[in-house]
Amino acid sequence: DEARVTPDLIVTYAEEFEKNYIRRLAIISELKKALASKHSELSISYQPKLNLHTNQVDHAEALIRWNSERLGFVPPDEFIAIAEQAGLINQVTEWVINAVVDDVAIMREQNIPLSVAINLSAKDIVDPHLLTYVTDKLKEFNLAADCLSFEITESDIVSEPTKAIVELQRFRDAGFSLAIDDFGTGYSSLTYLKSLPVTELKIDKSFVLKLNEQNSDQQIVQTILQLAKSFNLSVVAEGVEDNASLTLLRDWGCKWAQGYYICKPAPLVQLINWYTDNLATDWMK
Ligand code: C2E
Ligand code: MG
Ligand code: MG
Ligand code: MG
C-alpha cells in the first residue's frame, strides 16, 4: 500500500511546488510591469477609522489593490510578501506614497481633513531614502506631516528590534505618528515595547472579529488596552464587524475602531461620498 501512496504524494508535491513557483514568477514580472506603466493596474482603497472619543471619522488607512490584466485580482497579503523577497517593495511603497499624497491633496481641496495611514514593511524603514521621499512629496503639495502616519507590523519589528527602534525614531523626529500593526500576534516583549518610538497599538483583527461572542478575546483586548494605557499609547481596533463589539470597545476606552461594520475599504471617490454622507451619523447610539 505504502509503495503505491508515496510516489503519488511526491508527484502531488512536485506539481504543487511548480505551480507556486510559476505563480511567484508571474507575480514578479507582472508587478514590475504594473509599477512601470502609466495607467497602472495598481490602486488604493481607503478604510476609515472612527474616533470613539469624538464620534468623528478623522483617519483612514490606505490599502493597496492590484487588478492584474493577466492574473486577475491579487490580494496584497500575497504580492506584498513576494515584492519584499524580490526586492520590489521599496518601489511599491513609493508608488503608494505618491498616490496617497495626491489623494490627500484632493481631499484638502474639498475640505476633507482625513489623515491617512500607510503600511510599511521592514525593508522600507531601513531604506534611508524613503523618509526623504515622503517629506519631499509632502513639501511639493505644501502639506504637513500630520496628513500621514505609518503602520508597521509587529512581526517586522520583532525580527530586528534594535534596528527598528533607530529607524522608527527618524520617522517620529520628522513628525509622523507610528502604529504597531497586527499587535498581539508577534510575541511582543515588554522590554522593547517600552523603548519603541511608536504612538499607537493596532489590535490584530483576529481578536476583534468575534469580540462580542468570545470571552477569551475580550480578556486579550482589555489586557492590550491596559498595557497601552500604562505605556501612554493610543489603541486602534481593526476588524470591527458588529455594533455590539463597537460598544464594548467604546466602553473600554479604545480610541479608534475600524472594520466592515463602519465601512469597507473603498476607492477615493467612494470614500469621499461615504465621509460626506456620514458626517452627521451618531455612532454612539
Ligand atoms: P493590515 O494592514 O493589517 O490591514 C487590515 C486588513 O484587514 C485589510 O486587508 C482590510 O481590508 C481587512 N479588514 C478591515 N476591516 C475588516 C473587517 O471588519 N473584517 C475583515 N475580515 N477584514 C477586515 P487587505 O486590504 O487585504 O490587506 C491585507 C494586508 O496587506 C494588510 O494588513 C497589510 O499588511 C498588507 N498591505 C495592504 N496594503 C499595503 C501597502 O500599501 N503596503 C504594504 N507594505 N502592505 C500592505
Ligand atoms: Mg495596517
Ligand atoms: Mg492589521
Ligand atoms: Mg496585516
Side-chain angles (χ1 to χ4, degrees), residues 166-225:
V166 175
E167 301 301 333
L168 292 173
Q169 187 61 49
R170 296 167 53 231
F171 283 82
R172 289 291 298 128
D173 292 344
F176 298 107
S177 300
L178 297 175
I180 305 182
D181 207 347
D182 303 343
F183 188 78
T185 58
Y187 304 100
S188 335
S189 145
L190 294 180
T191 315
Y192 75 75
L193 188 59
K194 185 184 68 182
S195 45
L196 274 179
V198 298
T199 51
E200 280 165 37
L201 298 183
K202 208 166 171 187
I203 306 176
D204 191 69
K205 60 177 180 287
S206 59
F207 308 116
V208 180
L209 290 171
K210 299 246 165 353
L211 185 65
N212 185 49
E213 294 161 35
Q214 294 277 346
N215 196 266
S216 53
D217 289 343
Q218 297 184 8
Q219 308 280 335
I220 291 168
V221 168
Q222 283 181 293
T223 304
I224 294 176
L225 284 163

Side-chain angles (χ1 to χ4, degrees), residues 61 63 77 119 151 153-155 181-182 185 204-205 238:
E61 178 177 10
L63 295 157
D77 273 330
N119 290 284
E151 299 182 1
T153 61
E154 188 179 15
S155 50
D181 207 347
D182 303 343
T185 58
D204 191 69
K205 60 177 180 287
E238 65 174 22

